[in-house]
Amino acid sequence: QVQLVESGGGLVQAGGSLRLSCAASGTISSINSISAMGWYRQPPGKQRELVAAIRSGGSTNYAEAVEGRFTISRDNAKNTVLLQMNSLKPEDTGVYYCYAVQYNQVTDTNYQSWGQGTQVTVSS
């Protein structure tokens, strides 16, 4: 499994932008590689929900609520995923959690890791 460290959260006015970063560290190799990374968020008093995901091949998925406003990207060589958030709305407020799925070819096993979360607050 890997350790994930998020950064870039903070307080921003509605309509503003933030960029979240998530860096993976630990045992990562060609036989123990990260197949996907992404972001979930948990608004206050609500369930955690998927925001965006990106696979190692570059394909992406976005929650309908953020489509067209958020962009996820990944640097596979650096094992880092970015989430560019534009046109932020108050309903985007929540704790954002980075995740990574790691596949070990030797054991044929998938592992999922989570970051500790970073707070994003959008004020009106």
Side-chain angles (χ1 to χ4, degrees), residues 13-124:
Q13 292 281 349
S17 299
L18 286 173
R19 188 181 74 171
L20 304 183
S21 299
C22 177
S25 62
T27 304
I28 305 172
S29 67
S30 61
I31 62 172
N32 195 26
S33 62
I34 296 175
S35 59
M37 297 184 73
W39 296 87
Y40 280 75
R41 69 185 181 188
Q42 187 167 16
K46 297 183 179 181
Q47 299 280 2
R48 185 168 55 179
E49 61 187 15
L50 177 68
V51 178
I54 186 167
R55 280 70 178 177
S56 60
S59 62
T60 59
N61 292 95
Y62 295 94
E64 185 175 346
V66 307
E67 186 78 42
R69 299 188 296 118
F70 291 9
T71 302
I72 190 169
S73 61
R74 178 181 173 183
D75 186 334
N76 290 335
K78 296 182 178 180
N79 295 307
T80 299
V81 64
L82 305 175
L83 185 67
Q84 180 66 45
M85 305 186 294
N86 297 326
S87 301
L88 284 163
K89 304 175 181 180
E91 51 263 43
D92 294 319
T93 293
V95 180
Y96 284 66
Y97 297 92
C98 177
Y99 77 89
V101 178
Q102 188 176 22
Y103 176 68
N104 189 303
Q105 295 183 359
V106 176
T107 61
D108 191 24
T109 304
N110 286 311
Y111 300 92
Q112 187 173 42
S113 300
W114 293 90
Q116 74 280 6
T118 184
Q119 177 70 43
V120 171
T121 303
V122 184
S123 62
S124 60

